[in-house]
């Protein structure tokens, strides 16, 4: 029987699943670059075929990284309500904007055309693809590797005095702490439920009441977040961390032939998704 | 008093993060019986599944497989009155001071009773009673700010928040961890009082063997997700082989008595309550003096 409080089970962001696959062993800089470009390409593709290709690709990547696809899909579960709400809104309001194609249905300002249906389906699939792709990336890359990759990809910005190191540190810490806070939140929900709190049993339209019901979790969670941040600062400072200093790295990454091959294929696929006029 | 089981656990299994790469089997066939009015300690090394086990007692975790019966309610059934269960079983989490969220102490303790839908007067009475129980002065403390309290005071507030639900069974996860010796002793005395005078069934998790020796009627030892040993504190602390096998510490008194025994003094090694142990040591000292004079 699944527990009503198991939040962390569905959080895939910020977890690292070491399986030692070749996806794991790729140079993190190239991995990040390829994934970023792929996500952009998918985000801009509006055809059925292109997105089918993207979906296949994301599934393949899960398979290749030896991470169970069911685990990746569990990361989508919490987003399902948003996907549905978004789809409904698009279906109702976007008919006028995407009024091309065949007209299926018309009522007042609501137009449903083959184009607006395409928009709805494509955006839902696209959402899934992007979540899957970013999950593969974070599940197969350790935090250290990710920091390093972000830092080195942004390093050209150093020339214009952009705080590259600080930004990559912030991003990494944010990602790293997602599962930690999921666990904290789970604990807090359990603790407050033990005191008689109940979450989500009120009627959904009583939004104010339901928000109030969440206060016993939200306030302690803020406190915990702040004290965690303080701990982290202490830990970093006691290891002589100084922002803005030049730092050498413990591991030095060197791209191999394999990495360049992956880069080439990734770029090729992205170009395809960008520029190829898919017939459907 | 006839012994009546209030908690019965049989062959309980629990797996965290099921069907993910991080899947972890935390409980693998645990069994345990707690009788009404008993004070039970659960000990075992870190990660042995103690916290996982006690979260079954008020239905925060439902049994994957196995039997959990709390005061006659079978928790493997889908439809049970979970709120009534949580009222009956008060569970105090590890570091409960984190869960305080109201600005004023009184309000925070009153949260549970208000959730029960009790009338204001009754809520007030319960808050007062709960604060008395944990040794916080009602008039003086109820309007104090929660954030400005010490760690020990916060823990008392959190404990009072659970007591105000008037549970029949009190479950505490490492209640004294991180407290200074004085707050620790105060808290232990309160727990003992609740168990002996208010007839609460108490189950607590602890890494501190002095505490176990002081409070517990019976002890369950957990290792790797199962209960490996149970018995009275005497049974457990006098079984040297098993103590070593399951890496259980012993109270300092037991250690001293064992060493005296090894050195050839005739002491009773199961006299581990501080006062009894002191008597044993005085006995040894007196015997020694006797020899010198004679
Ligand atoms: N929410 C969770 N998700 C995943 N795994 C968990 C979770 N909570 C506990 N575990 C794992 O289950 C095992 C048992 O944990 P549990 O908290 O019951 O141990 P414990 O005996 O209470 O330890 P401690 O003395 O350190 O408190 C541990 O290995 C832990 O890593
Ligand atoms: Mg624990």
């Amino acid at each position: 029987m699944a527990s009503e409080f198991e939040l962390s089970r569905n959080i895939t962001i910020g977890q690292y699943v070491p399986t030692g696959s070749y996806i794991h062993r790729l140079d993190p800089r190239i991995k990040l670059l390829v994934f970023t470009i792929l996500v952009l390409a998918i985000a801009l593709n509006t055809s059925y075929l292109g997105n089918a290709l993207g979906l296949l690709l994301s599934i393949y990547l899960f398979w290749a990284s030896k991470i169970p696809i069911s685990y990746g899909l569990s990361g989508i579960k919490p987003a399902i309500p948003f996907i549905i709400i978004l789809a409904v809104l698009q279906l109702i309001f976007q008919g006028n904007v995407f009024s091309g194609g065949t007209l299926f249905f018309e009522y007042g300002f609501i137009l449903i055309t083959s184009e607006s249906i395409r928009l709805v389906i494509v955006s839902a699939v696209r959402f899934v693809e992007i979540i899957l792709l970013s999950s593969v990336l974070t599940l197969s890359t350790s935090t250290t590797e990710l920091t390093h990759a972000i830092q080195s990809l942004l390093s050209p910005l150093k020339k214009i005095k952009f705080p590259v190191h600080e930004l990559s540190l912030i991003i990494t810490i944010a990602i790293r702490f997602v599962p930690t806070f999921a666990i904290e939140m789970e604990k807090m929900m359990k603790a407050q439920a033990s005191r008689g709190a109940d979450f989500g049993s009120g009627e959904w339209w009583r939004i104010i009441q339901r928000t109030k019901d969440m206060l016993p979790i939200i306030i302690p969670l803020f406190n915990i977040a702040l004290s965690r941040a303080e701990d982290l600062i202490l830990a970093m400072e006691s290891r002589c961390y100084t922002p803005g200093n030049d730092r050498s790295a413990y591991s030095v990454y060197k791209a191999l032939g394999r990495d360049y091959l992956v880069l080439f294929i990734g770029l090729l696929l992205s170009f395809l998704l960008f520029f190829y006029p898919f017939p459907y | 008093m006839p012994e009546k089981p209030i908690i019965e656990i049989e062959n309980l299994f629990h797996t965290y993060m099921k069907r993910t790469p991080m899947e972890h089997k935390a409980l693998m066939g645990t069994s345990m019986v707690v009788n009404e009015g008993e004070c039970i300690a659960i000990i075992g090394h870190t990660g042995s599944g103690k916290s996982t086990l006690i979260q079954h007692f008020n239905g925060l975790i439902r049994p994957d497989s196995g039997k959990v019966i709390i005061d006659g309610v079978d928790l493997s059934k889908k439809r049970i009155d979970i709120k009534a269960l949580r009222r009956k079983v008060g569970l105090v989490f590890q570091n409960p001071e984190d869960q305080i969220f109201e600005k004023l102490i009184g309000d925070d303790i009153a949260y549970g009773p208000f959730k029960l839908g009790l009338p204001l007067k009754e809520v007030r009475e319960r808050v007062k009673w709960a604060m008395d129980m944990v040794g916080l002065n009602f008039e003086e403390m109820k309007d104090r700010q929660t954030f400005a309290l010490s760690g020990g005071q916060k823990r008392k507030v959190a404990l009072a928040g659970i007591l105000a639900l008037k549970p029949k069974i009190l479950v505490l996860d490492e209640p004294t961890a991180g407290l200074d010796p004085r707050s620790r002793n105060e808290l232990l005395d309160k727990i003992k009082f609740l168990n002996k005078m208010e007839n609460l069934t108490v189950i607590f998790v602890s890494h501190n063997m002095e505490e176990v020796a002081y409070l517990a009627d019976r002890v369950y030892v957990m290792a790797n997700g199962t209960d490996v040993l149970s018995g009275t504190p005497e049974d457990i602390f006098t079984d040297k082989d098993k103590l070593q096998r399951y890496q259980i510490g012993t109270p300092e008194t037991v250690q001293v008595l064992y060493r005296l025994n090894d050195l050839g003094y005739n002491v009773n090694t199961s006299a581990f309550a501080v006062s009894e142990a002191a008597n044993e040591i005085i006995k040894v000292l007196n015997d020694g003096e006797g020899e010198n004079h004679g």
Side-chain angles (χ1 to χ4, degrees):
Chain A
M1 206 185 294
S3 161
E4 59 191 302
F5 298 107
E6 265 207 296
L7 296 175
S8 46
R9 210 178 87 83
N10 291 334
I11 302 260
T12 49
I13 299 168
Q15 298 279 17
Y16 176 57
V17 183
T19 62
S21 76
Y22 84 87
I23 305 268
H24 286 69
R25 279 177 280 128
L26 283 178
D27 185 310
R29 295 166 297 176
I30 290 191
K31 195 167 18 170
L32 182 62
L33 184 66
V34 170
F35 273 85
T36 313
I37 296 175
L38 271 177
V39 165
L40 281 179
I42 284 174
L44 293 172
N45 191 299
T46 53
S47 68
Y48 284 129
L49 267 186
N51 277 282
L53 182 68
L55 195 60
L56 276 181
L57 179 70
S58 359
I59 293 171
Y60 164 76
L61 285 171
F62 258 95
W63 178 78
S65 60
K66 298 190 191 150
I67 299 169
I69 181 91
S70 60
Y71 186 52
L73 287 174
S74 71
I76 296 180
K77 228 188 259 164
I80 287 176
F82 297 101
I83 299 183
I84 292 175
I85 291 173
L86 208 67
V88 171
L89 289 181
Q90 280 175 328
L91 201 60
I92 295 175
F93 295 110
Q94 294 285 29
N96 301 308
V97 189
F98 292 83
S99 52
T102 335
L103 179 68
F104 289 132
F105 178 81
E106 187 174 1
Y107 180 82
F109 68 95
I110 300 172
L111 294 178
I112 294 179
T113 65
S114 61
E115 279 306 301
S116 68
I117 288 181
R118 174 212 294 278
L119 177 80
V120 169
I121 293 177
V122 164
S123 6
V125 175
R126 199 191 271 159
F127 203 84
V128 172
E129 288 164 57
I130 291 175
I131 289 189
L132 285 180
L133 278 179
S134 42
S135 311
V136 178
L137 176 67
T138 54
L139 288 174
S140 70
T141 316
S142 71
T143 329
T144 336
E145 286 177 335
L146 209 58
T147 325
H148 189 87
I150 296 171
Q151 202 171 335
S152 83
L153 285 188
L154 295 180
S155 60
L157 293 177
K158 267 190 197 147
K159 292 219 173 63
I160 56 164
K161 293 251 161 59
F162 186 81
V164 170
H165 173 76
E166 285 72 8
L167 183 71
S168 54
L169 191 71
I170 291 170
I171 296 175
T172 321
I173 291 176
I175 295 176
R176 164 63 186 76
F177 275 90
V178 170
T180 309
F181 282 120
I183 289 174
E184 292 291 352
M185 179 152 166
E186 196 176 303
K187 233 185 80 187
M188 200 45 67
M189 287 177 78
K190 284 177 171 178
Q192 305 295 23
S194 303
R195 310 213 262 165
D198 59 320
F199 310 111
S201 67
E203 293 86 356
W204 62 269
W205 65 83
R206 297 173 62 190
I207 293 176
I208 296 177
Q209 186 55 44
R210 291 196 55 160
T211 313
K212 269 194 191 152
D213 284 348
M214 296 303 281
L215 279 184
I217 309 175
I218 294 170
I219 293 172
L221 215 54
F222 263 107
N223 282 335
I224 290 172
L226 290 177
S227 74
R228 286 265 175 169
E230 254 169 51
D231 290 347
L232 192 64
I233 294 167
L234 267 181
M236 286 168 77
E237 283 188 341
S238 61
R239 290 172 206 187
C240 304
Y241 177 87
T242 330
N245 262 19
D246 261 345
R247 235 170 303 276
S248 58
Y250 174 63
S251 44
V252 178
Y253 297 99
K254 194 165 164 17
L256 306 170
R258 184 180 62 199
D259 298 311
Y260 289 114
L261 185 66
V262 167
L263 180 62
F264 177 71
I265 295 175
L267 287 179
L268 202 68
L269 280 171
S270 308
F271 269 108
L272 194 70
L273 288 171
F274 259 131
F275 296 114
Y276 187 76
F278 289 99
Y280 294 104
Chain B
M1 193 169 66
E3 300 209 327
K4 182 173 156 245
I6 195 163
I7 295 182
E8 289 169 89
I9 308 248
E10 217 177 280
N11 209 19
L12 178 65
F13 283 77
H14 182 76
T15 309
Y16 280 112
M17 306 280 223
K18 226 182 216 163
R19 291 183 295 276
T20 74
M22 278 83 76
E23 186 167 296
H24 182 93
K25 290 196 171 67
L27 289 181
M28 293 177 282
T30 312
S31 301
M32 143 181 295
V33 177
V34 179
N35 294 315
E36 217 168 325
E38 270 189 310
C39 182
I40 300 283
I42 302 176
I43 61 178
H45 60 80
T46 181
S48 55
K50 305 179 296 291
S51 301
T52 311
L53 173 65
I54 63 170
Q55 285 173 38
H56 283 82
F57 294 167
N58 72 345
L60 289 173
I61 305 181
R62 297 295 202 90
D64 275 354
S65 78
K67 213 165 76 176
V68 178
I69 296 179
I70 311 288
D71 201 18
V73 181
D74 184 349
L75 294 203
S76 49
K77 296 252 165 53
K78 243 201 166 77
R79 303 187 64 82
I80 54 168
D81 188 349
I82 198 86
K83 285 188 117 177
L85 177 72
R86 295 203 177 129
R87 210 171 304 158
K88 204 179 307 175
V89 184
L91 193 151
V92 185
F93 263 73
Q94 230 161 320
N95 303 324
E97 51 275 18
D98 287 346
Q99 76 196 30
I100 294 170
F101 69 98
E102 290 280 9
K103 220 168 95 184
L104 304 179
I105 294 178
D107 290 348
D108 200 82
I109 298 172
Y111 175 72
F114 267 127
K115 277 279 164 188
L116 296 181
L118 297 173
L120 189 63
K121 192 160 158 277
E122 165 105 30
V123 171
R124 208 180 143 85
E125 264 159 31
R126 282 197 178 198
V127 171
K128 185 169 175 337
W129 175 80
M131 286 178 74
D132 279 350
M133 278 298 137
V134 297
L136 294 170
N137 187 316
F138 178 70
E139 293 303 333
E140 193 183 308
M141 299 293 276
K142 73 180 197 315
D143 294 324
R144 287 266 295 270
Q145 306 259 350
T146 45
F147 73 88
L149 295 174
S150 74
Q153 285 171 322
K154 276 191 190 168
R155 196 160 302 185
K156 283 180 183 169
V157 171
L159 179 60
I162 296 287
L163 287 179
L165 295 169
K166 295 235 170 165
K168 215 169 147 183
I169 307 172
L170 182 64
V171 185
L172 304 133
D173 200 348
E174 305 193 21
T176 60
L179 288 188
D180 62 280
R182 200 177 129 219
S183 318
R184 214 194 93 200
N185 289 337
E186 276 177 22
L187 191 58
L188 290 179
D189 286 335
K190 300 294 176 224
I191 296 173
K192 190 157 201 159
F193 177 82
L194 287 166
N195 175 239
K196 298 282 180 270
M197 301 300 153
E198 301 279 321
N199 281 327
L200 256 71
T201 306
V202 174
I203 299 155
F204 69 102
V205 172
S206 181
H207 286 290
N208 183 314
M209 297 307 139
E210 273 79 26
E211 216 166 280
V212 173
Y214 178 65
L215 282 180
D217 299 324
R218 283 192 304 129
V219 182
Y220 277 89
V221 182
M222 299 209 38
N224 304 320
T226 54
D227 55 309
V228 287
L229 212 59
S230 72
T232 60
E234 288 100 70
D235 298 342
I236 304 287
F237 293 137
T238 48
D239 194 339
K240 249 185 158 176
D241 295 341
K242 294 212 172 105
L243 288 178
Q244 231 149 38
R245 177 144 30 113
Y246 301 117
Q247 304 163 20
I248 309 161
T250 47
E252 268 174 57
T253 51
V254 174
Q255 288 167 24
V256 170
L257 293 174
Y258 269 124
R259 283 197 53 195
L260 286 172
N261 212 7
D262 287 347
L263 291 172
Y265 293 102
N266 181 22
V267 292
N268 176 8
T269 47
S270 59
F272 53 77
V274 176
S275 56
E276 289 176 36
N279 282 337
E280 291 291 315
I281 294 171
I282 291 169
K283 212 171 73 193
V284 170
L285 288 175
N286 284 340
D287 287 356
E289 271 173 21
E291 274 160 34
N292 284 344
H293 288 291

